[in-house]
Amino acid sequence: MTVYDTDTYLRRLGHDSGRAGWPAPDLTTLVRLHKRHMETVPFSSTGSLAVPTASGEPVELVDFDEDATFDAVVAAGHGGGCVQMTRLFLRLLRDLGYEADLIAGTTAEGTAEYGVDVEHMLILARVDGVRWLVDVGYAGPSFLEPLRLDGATDGREQVQYGCRYRLVEDGDGVLLERRPRLGRWSLVFRFTSKVREPREWHAFQDLANVKLAALSEESAPQLYSRAVADGQVVLKGRRHLTVRAGVDKARTIVGDDELHALRDAILGGTLA
């Protein structure tokens, strides 16, 4: 088993620290590592929250073995869910010298399913006194590079790869909204900037495991995604969504062979 190792992590993200040393903890590095993470480590519901384990044991979201998780998710490149990838990326950022903390949010689906505000896990990173929203663990479609948080919660737009994003104050929280080139504004998730500890996800973990216990492996939701140079590819059940240069295209996959081939392409990084 490959235990957690910063150099191994950086190599997965395309940085040869043996030759160049560790990258500086600046905004340029943060942007590059964020995008590379989403391109090289896929979101995969397999073995994470969305799929019960073959043994039927509860899914561990809070007190998991980081070395074993790193081996499967990063070193082997199999990917994982939001909690696994966010916790590992937070550790990497701190190793590199960033000031970074966990924060929490909730998706529309999470609110409907669980009714909690500590569901999705994100990172708040500070660079030169400015706060940035970091999220490498959301299946999408969503932002591929960090979004500026300070001075940007008044709805002003931030543009990435043809898509527009805005952060809108909502009581004690913030709404993240997204608009593709040819579409309307829609909610991605709601979050707060309150610093959290991993143990605060225990309540969500307990609720999720109750739900998972009622599902078979065949009926559990399947969710996979990977970033590409100018966007993202998402497979949710049989719904295939591509985002390229800001243009969303969605279709339903009927045949099992095509479905499995697309899933394997997302997980294997062989997307055209």
Side-chain angles (χ1 to χ4, degrees), residues 141 163 178 228 230-233 241-249:
C163 291
R178 170 186 176 271
V228 292
D230 63 346
Q232 201 169 9
V233 177
L241 173 67
T242 62
V243 183
R244 288 293 181 68
V247 178
D248 288 6
K249 293 183 178 180

Side-chain angles (χ1 to χ4, degrees), residues 1 15 37 42 62 88 97 117 138 173 186 206 221 228 244 254 257:
M1 180 179 72
H15 180 87
H37 199 290
V62 179
L88 292 173
D117 59 1
Y138 184 70
S186 61
D206 293 344
V228 292
R244 288 293 181 68
V254 178
D257 289 345

Side-chain angles (χ1 to χ4, degrees), residues 10 23-34 89 93 96 98:
L10 290 172
D26 55 23
L27 182 57
T28 298
T29 297
L30 182 63
V31 170
R32 177 164 51 86
L33 294 183
H34 192 290
F89 196 57
L93 294 183
L96 296 178
Y98 287 97

Side-chain angles (χ1 to χ4, degrees), residues 10-45:
L10 290 172
R11 281 196 299 274
R12 168 61 62 183
L13 304 186
H15 180 87
D16 187 349
S17 55
R19 296 178 58 186
W22 288 4
D26 55 23
L27 182 57
T28 298
T29 297
L30 182 63
V31 170
R32 177 164 51 86
L33 294 183
H34 192 290
K35 176 75 180 308
R36 287 296 296 160
H37 199 290
M38 298 187 71
E39 289 176 325
T40 60
V41 185
F43 184 99
S44 171
S45 60

Side-chain angles (χ1 to χ4, degrees), residues 209-265:
N209 275 308
V210 170
K211 182 176 178 63
L212 291 175
L215 298 175
S216 66
E217 193 164 338
E218 292 74 22
S219 64
Q222 303 287 312
L223 183 57
Y224 308 95
S225 74
R226 185 185 289 266
V228 292
D230 63 346
Q232 201 169 9
V233 177
V234 180
L235 179 64
K236 182 177 183 180
R238 291 185 176 273
R239 184 172 183 267
H240 176 209
L241 173 67
T242 62
V243 183
R244 288 293 181 68
V247 178
D248 288 6
K249 293 183 178 180
R251 67 189 182 99
T252 299
I253 297 177
V254 178
D256 288 344
D257 289 345
E258 184 184 5
L259 180 70
H260 297 155
L262 178 58
R263 179 199 62 196
D264 293 345

Side-chain angles (χ1 to χ4, degrees), residues 112-125:
E113 292 286 347
Y114 306 108
V116 295
D117 59 1
V118 178
E119 175 219 354
H120 185 47
M121 184 178 284
L122 307 99
I123 297 172
L124 186 67

Side-chain angles (χ1 to χ4, degrees), residues 166-233:
R166 65 185 182 188
L167 300 168
V168 182
E169 292 185 359
D170 179 52
D172 63 349
V174 179
L175 303 177
L176 169 63
E177 298 178 333
R178 170 186 176 271
R179 182 180 181 180
R181 190 183 300 275
L182 303 177
R184 300 178 179 179
W185 288 105
S186 61
L187 177 66
V188 181
F189 51 70
R190 183 183 188 276
F191 68 95
T192 71
S193 58
K194 177 182 177 181
V195 175
R196 305 282 188 171
E197 295 296 329
R199 64 176 179 272
E200 295 183 63
W201 273 264
H202 269 299
F204 170 59
Q205 174 182 283
D206 293 344
L207 291 170
N209 275 308
V210 170
K211 182 176 178 63
L212 291 175
L215 298 175
S216 66
E217 193 164 338
E218 292 74 22
S219 64
Q222 303 287 312
L223 183 57
Y224 308 95
S225 74
R226 185 185 289 266
V228 292
D230 63 346
Q232 201 169 9
V233 177

